[in-house]
Amino acid sequence: MTGAYVASIDQGSASSRCMLFDRRGRLVSVAQKEHRQLFPRPGWVEQDAEEILGNVLQVVPDALEKAELKLADLVALGIANQRETTVVWDRDSGRPIYNAISWQDTRTDKIVNRLAAEGGKDRFRAKTGLPLTTYFSGPKIQWILDHVEGARDGAERGTVLFGTMDTWLIWKLTGRHVTDVTNASRTMLMDLRSLDWDDELLEAMKVPRAMLPEIHASSEPYGEAGAPLRGLPVAAALGDQQAALFGQTCFAAGEAKCTYGTGSFLLLNTGDRLVESTHGLLTTVGCRIAGEPPTYALEGSIAVTGALVQWLRDKLGLISSAAEIETLARTVEDSGGVYVVPAFSGLFAPHWRSDARGVIAGLTGYTTKGHLARAVLEATAWQTREVIDAMNSDAGTVLRVLKADGGMTADNLMMQLLADNLGVPVVRPIVAETVSLGAAYAAGLAVGFWPNVESLRANWHKAAEWLPRLDPETRERRFRKWKKAVARTLEWVDDDDE
């Protein structure tokens, strides 16, 4: 092994980036490129899979150039990706037959409602760990097959292929049609116990098995890339939130993390136990290292957190960059009684209400743009509080410390608001971008760059900690108001809405 670095691709909801890490898990270089978000109709969110592929192929050499390194200096490439986002493409031409449908997209609500009518929203939860919602890939595949001419015939013949973003990238890099267990567990098509596609689920979703990728471990050599990354082993794939769990070295049952990006995601490692939630959480696969049994997790998914800051910037124009929100929010002492509930595409955990839409509540003549900015940051904290309360109830434990990571953790005010509104310390590691680090760790393990997971634990170090300052009475009063604002988002969508 001649290389001294591992590369990771974090193919996210808003951008693709490449990060390079050394043996001690230190960040050496980063390159990033945003892609377009397409909104053809209300509730519809699409992306251009070929644009994303082009960005990925650009950011790897860009990261190498910034560090003055060569391709030969890399031992492996790991991929972390936005989950559930659905790509369907023609096997022979290699071209998508439709834009990628984002995990945020809600167009499949009627498909989901039809499926739920035959057995309730938890119809498939025993096998998949998931409730029936527009979030997951299965209904998105069905929608494409039903709306693109010739797609279903091609899928049945195996000439039209499906993949989440990991599969799309691995297929383009190596020519193999594979996915990993973490991404497969988010399709609503895989049995969590067998770790294979399930015929009952496929029939219900009307998805032909012939179009599906092979399911593999998360940390495993999948093949070598062709040009322009010729010879580079592609050796890991994880859904982005599972990658962050791995990057935070949460390898033992009971360890948890929350990643703050476009959306936010809290995961609790439950070891080899499948814990069925009764409080609106998801049961999912945490990871699987080749040759080892899978690790499971409980997850609370929040659809809109960082995306709310982008909305404030791009749609309302109250800030010109995401970083400015902290400065604006600090012009006031509190939110002035304003609450922003960003149910742009419904509410995810713990509510799972696709009929909800966003509200701004508590407006008065006193309200300024500073209050709105602070309410936007507080929305992330309150949504986190709802998920933690649900997780404590399911797991029968009380969270003592929140390990936080992701791009939003650079906002120190938001981190303090998290500690205040949760009532527990919030800790940020030195490498906050643990999604990328987790993909790198998994790839490095697969090729022997790191010998075992214990060697990765030694790389974790605390960078900062925030302690709660808000008195409990004020915290609970404000949380009560938040819950009132959430109630006002519900039952907004009618059956005859387009």
Side-chain angles (χ1 to χ4, degrees), residues 100-173:
I101 299 181
S102 168
W103 58 274
Q104 300 161 299
D105 189 284
T106 61
R107 77 185 66 189
T108 58
D109 54 350
K110 290 187 172 119
I111 294 174
V112 166
N113 290 339
R114 283 199 301 271
L115 289 166
E118 299 175 21
K121 70 176 184 178
D122 290 330
R123 176 181 173 185
F124 304 124
R125 187 184 280 272
K127 281 189 176 182
T128 67
L130 310 174
L132 270 166
T133 79
T134 60
Y135 187 16
F136 305 109
S137 305
K140 300 180 195 296
I141 303 170
Q142 183 183 145
W143 190 94
I144 292 175
L145 297 184
D146 288 344
H147 288 81
V148 177
E149 186 177 356
R152 184 167 293 282
D153 288 342
E156 290 171 352
R157 294 194 307 269
T159 59
V160 168
L161 306 179
F162 155 75
T164 41
M165 278 296 173
D166 60 309
T167 301
W168 166 248
L169 294 176
I170 293 170
W171 191 77
K172 283 292 189 178
L173 289 171

Side-chain angles (χ1 to χ4, degrees), residues 304-314 319 321-323 325 376-377 380 408 411:
V304 178
T305 53
L308 182 58
V309 177
Q310 294 173 333
W311 174 79
L312 198 73
R313 178 194 66 188
D314 299 338
I319 53 176
S321 68
I325 191 169
V376 162
L377 295 181
T380 292
M408 286 189 79
D411 188 318

Side-chain angles (χ1 to χ4, degrees), residues 76-90:
L77 172 72
I79 296 172
N81 58 284
Q82 55 172 321
R83 305 168 302 171
E84 299 94 19
T85 295
T86 297
V87 188
V88 177
W89 68 94
D90 182 271

Side-chain angles (χ1 to χ4, degrees), residues 1-58:
M1 185 179 296
T2 59
Y5 304 93
V6 180
S8 69
I9 293 295
D10 176 5
Q11 200 300 291
S13 302
S15 69
S16 301
R17 70 180 121 191
C18 176
M19 291 189 175
L20 309 182
F21 296 93
D22 66 13
R23 197 176 297 273
R24 294 176 63 183
R26 295 177 300 191
L27 178 61
V28 174
S29 181
V30 58
Q32 182 173 354
K33 190 171 179 59
E34 291 188 358
H35 56 260
R36 293 170 298 147
Q37 303 291 323
L38 308 173
F39 304 97
R41 294 188 188 179
W44 292 28
V45 187
E46 299 178 357
Q47 299 164 7
D48 183 336
E50 290 190 297
E51 177 189 4
I52 288 171
L53 173 66
N55 291 350
V56 166
L57 295 178
Q58 180 178 334

Side-chain angles (χ1 to χ4, degrees), residues 382-399:
W382 292 128
Q383 290 181 103
T384 303
R385 165 72 185 270
E386 290 183 311
V387 170
I388 286 176
D389 284 355
M391 194 161 281
N392 286 341
S393 297
D394 274 332
T397 59
V398 177
L399 184 77

Side-chain angles (χ1 to χ4, degrees), residues 190 415 449:
M190 187 190 83
M415 298 297 281
F449 187 67

Side-chain angles (χ1 to χ4, degrees), residues 364-384:
T364 68
Y366 172 73
T367 303
T368 68
K369 60 183 179 181
H371 293 118
L372 280 173
R374 200 171 183 101
V376 162
L377 295 181
E378 288 190 348
T380 292
W382 292 128
Q383 290 181 103
T384 303

